[in-house]
Amino acid sequence: MAKGTQGSERRGFEKNLTNYGDRGFSTFLRKAFIKGAGFTDDALDRPIIGIASTGSAYNPCHGNAPQLLDAIRRGVLLAGGLPMDFPTISIHESFSFPTSMFLRNLMSMDTEEMIRAQPMDAVVLIGGCDKTVPAQLMGAASAGVPAIQLVTGSMLTGSHRGSRVGACTDCRRYWASYRAEEIDEAEIGDVNNQLVASVGTCSVMGTASTMACLTEALGMMVSGGAAPPAVTADRMRVAERTGSMAVQLARTGLTPDRIMTRQAFENALRVLLAIGGSTNGIIHLTAIAGRMGYSIDLKRVDAFSRETPVLIDLKPSGQYYMEDFHKAGGVPALLRELRPLLHLDAMTVSGRTLEQELDDAPASFDQAVIRPFARPIYPQGGIAVLQGNLAPGFAIIKQSAASGHLMEHEGRAVVFENAQDMAERIDRDDLDVDADDILVLKNIGPTGAPGMPEAGYLPIPKKLARQGVKDMVRISDGRMSGTAGGTIVLHVTPEASIGGTLAVVQTGDRIRLSVKERSIQLLVDESEIQTRLQAMRIARPDAERGYKKLYLNAVLQADRGVDFDFLMPTADKGAIPAERPKTDPDSSQQAGSPE
Ligand code: FES
């Protein structure tokens, strides 16, 4: 039996021993059991690479997990390590009741505790669908073991009657047409067969694609690892490289805290803004940063947004799909365009700096998907941060996917008290609503629904949809899918169910949205707002037992990433971005006008 080192330097199977009060016996017993699976002492003396495997019949976004696992194992073995895969919770957007967000923190706890409980020198995290990658990075950040992220990759696009389609921007587009009675039952059935053309994550710049790009920008993924589609040879090669790099990580002991630094998070924020990324990205990035002891200063993020143009022409902000982004060069090609705004000395999982990785990435070439910095598709970042008496904490809007004519808008509120109320009334012909009104949905925040569902993309009332209305200002304390677009104000903080101003908005009140001024105002006297709040006597929601009780008692607001309070570290490393955003005033590169 190989002799292990002592204390925190213990490696491989001598790490994290079950406590029987006798270390020698614990090691002896562990090796006896694992040898029952046919392992030799030679195998057990190698660097041990855990692989968090999230394949599940309930998660088609991870449908290639078995092939990825094979490729990771190959990479680990080629580099001289021993792969040990293990299961964790897997979450798919459409198969998670009440919402996937309700379960994200549970998955992060599962991931953290399994990394910590089992012996491994490094871990590969196989994620993909929206909540899985943030959950895994949150868990890995807290566990403190060398870790590397692999994503399953995007699905292919399909074709419906000659039009290219992909989940899920086109899911919403076709469903809106069906609601407006522009297409019939047969056609909506036909398109349902084409929207998801293969396994893999949504094919647009939704939350899964956003988190993949942010992870590469954070340095927690092999260079070029975000964009290859799920069913391609490139994706399998990324998996093999990931396995090999995990062995290198095990040998060097490069832990997540040395990669996910302030500089890395600032790089990730730049990328979030430049890709027209999902609004969920800001919540997840806040949660991951929170696990490292950082808070995200949204006012400073907004300053970033004003100087970071959207360069990626992908749906829902643009026209292309993830497979096009991959063919155009993926994240390395984007990072080259963003170079003046980035911390190029940030460390990555390879043990090399971002600059070294970019220098060695395949050469960029002329293409239509990743725009030059001076010729953006939108002159500012995809996300704008709003504040005002309706959102004293903050709210956000995905300005790159909003309607220009509604970004400065005052209108009458039409209020729905909760998601059920909305479902019952929104399509009624007697609903008193017109196209200039502002739809308000309460009680879909972190504790409200609970689980902060993606119901913030309120449907256009059927009677207006039939008249051809495509967009209205919509406001809620919930989230929306990264694949959705429209003039939609989200994440209103504090949420209605804990007594935010949103709770007292009444139908007929007037609301003013000004994206230019970054303002969202309820045009009601402050004294009247306070009178209404006192009359409501709102108490924080609770549950009788189980995970729901834990969730409701511990969940934080959107500006804290909707994480649990007891998972926060004690160390406070300060706010991100740093007070002075990194800009190069002498740079000749300035964002130009969108085309
Ligand atoms: Fe899994 Fe969209 S549903 S990524």
Side-chain angles (χ1 to χ4, degrees):
M1 190 178 300
K3 287 202 174 71
T5 51
Q6 296 301 307
S8 61
E9 291 172 15
R10 287 193 181 92
R11 302 183 79 84
F13 275 93
E14 300 203 357
K15 287 179 75 173
N16 305 340
L17 287 168
T18 310
N19 192 354
Y20 300 115
D22 179 344
R23 289 197 57 82
F25 179 65
S26 296
T27 309
F28 172 76
L29 206 57
R30 172 176 284 176
K31 290 205 167 180
F33 278 112
I34 199 73
K35 283 178 176 174
F39 288 89
T40 61
D41 279 323
D42 181 29
L44 299 178
D45 283 342
R46 309 273 167 161
I48 308 298
I49 308 302
I51 306 170
S53 179
T54 50
S56 160
Y58 288 105
N59 195 343
C61 294
H62 293 202
N64 60 344
Q67 292 78 32
L68 291 176
L69 201 48
D70 281 348
I72 298 166
R73 284 196 190 113
R74 187 166 67 241
V76 171
L77 292 168
L78 284 169
L82 178 65
M84 296 287 292
D85 56 285
F86 60 97
T88 70
I89 293 171
S90 187
I91 304 172
H92 185 276
E93 288 302 292
S94 292
F95 291 89
S96 302
F97 177 82
T99 74
S100 57
M101 191 65 174
F102 181 67
L103 298 169
R104 184 202 63 181
N105 297 349
L106 185 63
M107 182 174 174
S108 85
M109 290 164 69
D110 180 6
T111 304
E112 174 185 346
E113 296 306 331
M114 286 299 99
I115 293 173
R116 187 176 286 131
Q118 302 171 131
M120 60 191 79
D121 298 306
V123 62
V124 177
L125 308 160
I126 305 176
C129 197
D130 295 11
K131 306 304 177 294
T132 58
V133 170
Q136 291 180 321
L137 289 178
M138 291 158 72
S142 297
V145 170
I148 183 167
Q149 183 79 56
L150 176 71
V151 293
T152 54
S154 61
M155 61 184 70
L156 300 179
T157 51
S159 178
H160 171 68
R161 300 185 184 177
S163 293
R164 196 177 181 204
V165 293
C168 233
T169 305
D170 297 321
C171 314
R172 296 171 206 289
R173 183 164 62 84
Y174 276 93
W175 190 251
S177 294
Y178 175 62
R179 281 174 54 80
E181 299 173 9
E182 293 164 0
I183 63 172
D184 60 16
E185 196 84 33
E187 183 164 2
I188 196 71
D190 285 351
V191 79
N192 190 255
N193 285 327
Q194 297 303 321
L195 288 164
V196 179
S198 74
V199 296
T201 52
C202 286
S203 54
V204 298
M205 191 50 79
T207 305
S209 304
T210 298
M211 291 311 302
C213 295
L214 299 191
T215 305
E216 188 170 336
L218 275 172
M220 288 295 290
M221 179 186 280
V222 298
S223 178
V231 296
T232 58
D234 281 345
R235 172 53 58 200
M236 294 305 142
R237 278 189 280 271
V238 167
E240 185 185 300
R241 282 169 57 209
T242 300
S244 301
M245 201 166 281
V247 178
Q248 184 185 315
L249 277 171
R251 292 194 166 118
T252 60
L254 185 60
T255 43
D257 60 318
R258 291 160 60 196
I259 300 170
M260 290 195 279
T261 58
R262 174 187 297 277
Q263 287 76 12
F265 283 109
E266 290 191 2
N267 288 345
L269 283 168
R270 293 288 189 190
V271 167
L272 172 65
L273 296 163
I275 60 178
S278 165
T279 46
N280 291 314
I282 196 80
I283 290 186
H284 297 318
L285 209 51
T286 302
I288 299 162
R291 294 296 185 92
M292 303 302 313
Y294 297 107
S295 57
I296 299 288
D297 184 318
L298 288 161
K299 277 199 173 151
R300 294 183 201 162
V301 171
D302 194 68
F304 263 32
S305 184
R306 290 176 189 272
E307 60 190 22
T308 311
V310 176
L311 299 181
I312 305 297
D313 194 359
L314 253 62
K315 288 176 183 252
S317 298
Q319 54 179 321
Y320 294 105
Y321 295 86
M322 277 302 280
E323 61 198 69
D324 308 312
F325 180 45
H326 171 53
K327 287 173 186 161
V331 172
L334 168 69
L335 293 176
R336 281 206 184 103
E337 292 301 326
L338 289 175
R339 248 184 140 111
L341 300 177
L342 298 176
H343 298 287
L344 294 169
D345 54 348
M347 178 58 63
T348 75
V349 276
S350 66
R352 292 153 30 106
T353 64
L354 180 62
E355 182 164 39
Q356 290 171 312
E357 290 296 341
L358 290 185
D359 287 346
D360 286 354
S364 298
F365 52 90
D366 271 354
Q367 39 73 39
V369 183
I370 304 166
R371 298 284 188 88
F373 191 89
R375 199 165 55 82
I377 75 157
Y378 194 81
Q380 295 191 355
I383 294 172
V385 180
L386 310 172
Q387 260 188 326
N389 67 347
L390 188 50
F394 83 107
I396 61 173
I397 185 168
K398 189 173 189 172
Q399 56 178 341
S400 58
S403 301
H405 71 285
L406 291 174
M407 305 247 275
E408 307 294 314
H409 184 75
E410 182 184 321
R412 183 188 70 127
V414 173
V415 176
F416 302 96
E417 292 299 324
N418 51 49
Q420 182 66 27
D421 181 32
M422 181 190 74
E424 287 170 3
R425 292 196 295 124
I426 194 145
D427 285 341
R428 284 172 51 162
D429 283 336
D430 63 354
L431 181 70
D432 178 15
V433 65
D434 69 44
D436 289 334
D437 289 339
I438 294 178
L439 303 180
V440 176
L441 176 55
K442 304 177 184 175
N443 294 306
I444 59 163
T447 67
M452 208 177 182
E454 291 183 339
Y457 177 79
L458 282 78
I460 301 297
K462 224 171 193 171
K463 64 192 256 187
L464 297 180
R466 282 195 294 256
Q467 294 166 21
V469 176
K470 300 287 185 209
D471 194 12
M472 295 172 72
V473 175
R474 289 160 270 182
I475 300 173
S476 76
D477 46 10
R479 300 177 299 116
M480 79 171 177
S481 165
T483 63
T487 313
I488 300 179
V489 177
L490 301 156
H491 309 177
V492 169
T493 304
E495 62 177 316
S497 66
I498 62 165
T501 312
L502 188 66
V504 302
V505 182
Q506 298 174 355
T507 293
D509 289 345
R510 296 199 67 80
I511 293 174
R512 198 167 78 83
L513 167 69
S514 170
V515 178
K516 200 162 73 186
E517 294 170 12
R518 302 296 201 253
S519 156
I520 181 82
Q521 292 288 342
L522 176 63
L523 303 178
V524 171
D525 277 352
E526 185 56 33
S527 59
E528 170 64 13
I529 291 173
Q530 290 309 320
T531 304
R532 290 184 194 178
L533 273 173
Q534 280 163 15
M536 290 184 81
R537 293 189 182 170
I538 292 167
R540 186 184 172 102
D542 201 356
E544 274 187 15
R545 60 169 296 282
Y547 176 68
K548 187 174 179 183
K549 186 171 183 62
L550 175 76
Y551 175 95
L552 286 172
N553 291 343
V555 75
L556 299 164
Q557 290 290 284
D559 56 354
R560 304 284 306 279
V562 197
D563 203 356
F564 290 157
D565 55 10
F566 62 87
L567 294 174
M568 295 290 104
T570 48
D572 177 2
K573 296 184 185 168
I576 294 173
E579 200 149 3
R580 287 167 173 258
K582 183 178 183 293
T583 55
D584 180 357
D586 299 328
S587 170
S588 57
Q589 291 206 54
Q590 292 291 322
S593 301
E595 291 181 340

